[in-house]
Amino acid sequence: PRLQDTLAASAQAGPVHWVITEILNKDRPLKEGEAPEERPLGTAVTEVRLDARSSRYQLVQEIRLSRLFNTGFSLSLASRSEVNLFGRMQEIRFKAAIPEVSLHCDLIGRPHGLDKLHVRAFFRFGSENHEIEQTVTYDGRDLLLSSLCPFDRMPGLKSGQTWKAPMIDPVESILSQSLSSDPFANAQVSRPLVMVRVWDQPQGL
C-alpha cells in the first residue's frame, strides 16, 4: 500500500477509539461459535492529523490501562510523532507513567542525519531524577510500521495481496540503546521482516 494514501485517509477519518482486552485461557480449544473469554484492560485513542502550517502529519496516541495484566499497576501513555508528507519521522514525543510506583518517563527524539536520532529522555522514580542524552541508530521510516499509532484503514487493499514489512517498536529501540552502556556495539537496529497478507474477511488478532 502507498504510505501517502494511508496517511491521507487516516487524517480524514478523525480519532479512532480502541478497547483493549486480555484473552483468557488462550490455549483452550474453542467450540464452534464460541467466543474466547476476555476481560477489560483499558482503552486507547489514536488519531492522524495533517498540520497545514508545517505540512506534517501528526500521529497521536493515548492509552490508559487500569491493570497491567496480573500486576496491581495502572499505566498511562501518550505519544505524538510528526512525519513529513513522505512518512519519514521528524520528531517523536513520548510520555508514560505508572502512578503506583511513582515512575514517570518523558522522551523527545529528533533526526540526526539520515539514520540516527538525537534523544533526550527524562526519568523520575520516586524522588530520584535521571536524564539521558544520546544519539541512537534509527530508521525514520519505521515509525509507521510500529505499535505507536496503529492505522484502522489502508486504501486500495485487495484480497490475497501480500507484502513484506519491517516491524519495530520505536520507543523500545530508543530506550534499549539509550540505557545500554555501549549503544553502538550493535550499529544496526533489528528490523525483523514480517509477511503481510490481506484476507477476504476480517480476522481476529
Side-chain angles (χ1 to χ4, degrees):
R2 276 173 42 86
L3 196 54
Q4 290 90 335
D5 293 344
T6 297
L7 283 167
S10 299
Q12 294 170 9
V16 180
H17 297 264
W18 306 77
V19 175
I20 303 170
T21 62
E22 177 183 9
I23 297 178
L24 304 176
N25 304 316
K26 62 180 180 295
D27 296 325
R28 181 176 68 85
L30 297 176
K31 299 175 183 177
E32 185 175 352
E34 182 185 8
E37 184 183 0
E38 301 179 15
R39 63 180 172 188
L41 286 179
T43 59
V45 179
T46 60
E47 185 177 7
V48 178
R49 308 168 185 158
L50 177 59
D51 186 335
R53 289 186 309 166
S54 63
S55 295
R56 291 181 181 179
Y57 287 101
Q58 295 181 346
L59 285 67
V60 181
Q61 174 178 249
E62 291 186 12
I63 292 179
R64 297 193 181 279
L65 296 182
S66 58
R67 184 173 52 82
L68 273 171
F69 297 100
N70 294 321
T71 73
F73 301 153
S74 61
L75 170 72
S76 65
L77 181 154
S79 68
R80 191 191 76 205
S81 310
E82 294 190 0
V83 301
N84 62 19
L85 296 177
F86 302 101
R88 182 169 285 276
M89 186 165 68
Q90 305 298 298
E91 181 178 272
I92 180 171
R93 290 177 178 266
F94 174 86
K95 290 176 178 276
I98 302 177
E100 291 81 2
V101 293
S102 300
L103 175 62
H104 300 265
C105 166
D106 290 84
L107 182 147
I108 302 172
R110 294 187 178 96
H112 185 81
L114 288 177
D115 58 355
K116 292 192 170 48
L117 278 182
H118 179 257
V119 176
R120 293 186 71 191
F122 307 88
F123 300 91
R124 189 168 76 253
F125 185 55
S127 59
E128 297 183 15
N129 293 290
H130 301 278
E131 180 178 348
I132 295 171
E133 186 167 359
Q134 234 169 54
T135 301
V136 301
T137 304
Y138 184 68
D139 189 321
R141 297 168 299 174
D142 288 330
L143 178 70
L144 296 179
L145 298 166
S146 75
S147 60
L148 272 188
C149 194
F151 296 112
D152 75 322
R153 62 201 64 223
M154 279 188 173
L157 292 185
K158 300 184 177 104
S159 176
Q161 184 179 2
T162 62
W163 69 91
K164 290 182 179 179
M167 292 294 292
I168 193 166
D169 185 323
V171 172
E172 180 183 14
S173 169
I174 291 168
L175 288 179
S176 64
Q177 290 183 85
S178 297
L179 297 172
S180 169
S181 58
D182 186 3
F184 297 108
N186 180 8
Q188 295 298 319
V189 175
S190 173
R191 301 173 74 219
L193 284 175
V194 297
M195 176 64 75
V196 181
R197 180 157 70 95
V198 181
W199 294 77
D200 55 357
Q201 295 291 331
Q203 304 288 319
L205 286 175

